Amino acid sequence: MTAHERREQLISISRELFAEKGFEGTSVEEIAARANVSKPVVYEHFGGKEGIYAVVVDREIQNLTGALTTALNIGGHPKMIVERMAFALLDYIESNEDGFRVLVRDSPMTQNTGSFSSLIGDVATKVEHLLADQFKKRGLNPKTAPIYAQMLVGMVALTGQHWVDERQPKKAEVAAHLVNLAWNGLSGLERRPQLSLDHSGSDN
């Protein structure tokens, strides 16, 4: 096995272990044992567990970012953009389940920092500009586009986290339901939304 082949083998094995056990639950000993090499070989290639984890996360971020960015950059009708974004995420999960589990397991969306949450924030920023343009055309306040972008992207991302475990219903059906909620919600936005109940004391 060449040095490059060994490196790729270690990355693949580490991805599986990180997806299964998380960063804290995985050891260099386990990586080395599963690859049938000694611990020094792992250290030689990556300098330790942190190094190989960083490589795994970086690759997955690049793969997912590329898929989502392509879906957003094609342009077209906003409803089609939502559909492509939902499919891009579900396609990625289907073909890179271990990689997705690594991203969401050790970088939950509830954290202010972290690989997955940072990626979702970047995607939301791109969606924000698309929504702002549509809001202007519909007479809605474009200043509210950032929060709607977070809601939209967050909905898709959290649905993906649920689907990676359940895998029901089928991908196309999940995407259709996502688009149904997102698009029908967006198309019926009120100019000045109001709450039905009095929450005037909730901010005190």
Side-chain angles (χ1 to χ4, degrees), residues 45-130:
H45 282 277
F46 301 100
K49 185 172 71 170
E50 292 79 5
I52 197 168
Y53 179 76
V55 172
V56 169
V57 169
D58 183 65
R59 284 195 177 188
E60 296 308 317
I61 287 291
Q62 292 299 320
N63 290 338
L64 183 50
T65 299
L68 294 176
T69 300
T70 298
L72 290 170
N73 287 344
I74 292 176
H77 193 280
K79 184 177 181 181
M80 296 306 299
I81 293 174
V82 173
E83 182 174 318
R84 284 197 301 267
M85 185 173 68
F87 251 103
L89 179 62
L90 296 175
D91 279 338
Y92 167 82
I93 293 172
E94 190 172 57
S95 58
N96 300 276
E97 180 177 331
D98 283 345
F100 185 74
R101 289 186 184 280
V102 170
L103 292 182
V104 300
R105 180 166 188 158
D106 289 307
S107 299
M109 290 183 63
T110 51
Q111 294 182 356
N112 292 326
T113 59
S115 300
F116 189 60
S117 58
S118 297
L119 170 62
I120 293 305
D122 291 342
V123 174
T125 299
K126 295 179 180 179
V127 173
E128 172 187 329
H129 299 299
L130 297 171

Side-chain angles (χ1 to χ4, degrees), residues 30 133 137 151:
E30 287 178 288
D133 291 339
K137 293 178 181 178
M151 295 174 191

Side-chain angles (χ1 to χ4, degrees), residues 10 13-40 42-43 46-53 106:
L10 291 171
I13 287 172
S14 298
R15 183 189 296 109
E16 293 174 1
L17 285 170
F18 289 139
E20 177 186 344
K21 300 184 176 184
F23 176 78
E24 294 297 334
T26 301
S27 67
V28 173
E29 287 85 354
E30 287 178 288
I31 296 172
R34 189 168 291 191
N36 198 28
V37 298
S38 62
K39 286 171 56 178
V42 179
Y43 287 112
F46 301 100
K49 185 172 71 170
E50 292 79 5
I52 197 168
Y53 179 76
D106 289 307

